[in-house]
Amino acid sequence: MMRFDPFREIEELSQRMDRALGGTQSARLSPPVDVHEDETGLELTLDLPGVQPDAIQIEAENNTLTVQAERKYARTEGRTAHRVERAYGTLARTFSVPAKYDLTKVEADFDHGTLTIRVPRSEAAQKRAISVRTGGQATPNRTVDAGQSDQNSQ
């Protein structure tokens, strides 16, 4: 005996309408992403299963990184789809990237449906040792984050 689900028929009808009207191709989806940061920069990892590498576009402009990909639904003449649950259409994510990262040096790798994007820190934001002189004498180097003030130096 099957359990009655009043929403099942509505869901199936919605899926049939999407397929009949081409709705599965016009959907705009947001793929899951992990964002990590370390001293070298940002690493963004997106899941894009079933996407071909040539269907991926990455654009960087004005502190914004945009990833867009197309996952197409293959319709076959004479074949009836009884259930279509996987996501098809345009997959897109946009990220605001702080100025301390260099969008001119973005690198991307695509392997087994996983897109990994690396955005390095800009050279101006890299840590570096700075000698502080007092009374004409150089003191030992201290590492200071560029763009951040040091409360102890006052």
Side-chain angles (χ1 to χ4, degrees):
M1 181 154 127
M2 273 181 54
R3 188 172 169 179
F4 177 70
D5 181 2
F7 299 105
R8 182 173 171 222
E9 288 185 31
I10 295 171
E11 179 183 329
E12 288 178 358
L13 179 61
S14 175
Q15 288 176 355
R16 287 180 188 163
M17 292 298 291
D18 280 346
R19 284 192 305 271
L21 300 174
T24 56
Q25 291 184 352
S26 63
R28 188 169 179 89
L29 308 162
S30 182
V33 64
D34 293 338
V35 179
H36 295 96
E37 178 183 27
D38 62 18
E39 67 278 351
T40 63
L42 289 175
E43 182 178 271
L44 297 89
T45 308
L46 292 91
D47 287 341
L48 301 174
V51 172
Q52 297 300 315
D54 59 349
I56 301 171
Q57 295 177 335
I58 302 170
E59 295 178 356
E61 182 179 25
N62 296 331
N63 294 348
T64 302
L65 183 69
T66 302
V67 178
Q68 189 168 314
E70 183 75 24
R71 182 171 163 180
K72 296 183 180 184
Y73 179 71
R75 295 175 191 242
T76 305
E77 191 68 35
R79 187 171 86 170
T80 302
H82 291 281
R83 184 170 297 270
V84 179
E85 294 182 353
R86 297 175 11 182
Y88 295 96
T90 301
L91 300 116
R93 289 297 292 258
T94 299
F95 305 94
S96 293
V97 179
K100 67 181 182 179
Y101 299 101
D102 190 349
L103 287 176
T104 65
K105 297 181 180 175
V106 173
E107 295 179 356
D109 295 308
F110 188 65
D111 187 36
H112 292 31
T114 300
L115 177 65
T116 303
I117 301 171
R118 287 175 203 75
V119 185
R121 281 185 181 252
S122 67
E123 289 193 25
Q126 296 288 332
K127 288 184 181 182
R128 58 188 170 278
I130 301 171
S131 296
V132 179
R133 288 181 284 193
T134 56
Q137 301 278 334
T139 60
N141 290 344
R142 293 186 331 181
T143 301
V144 178
D145 258 338
Q148 295 192 3
S149 63
D150 186 359
Q151 301 289 335
N152 299 329
S153 63
Q154 297 177 3

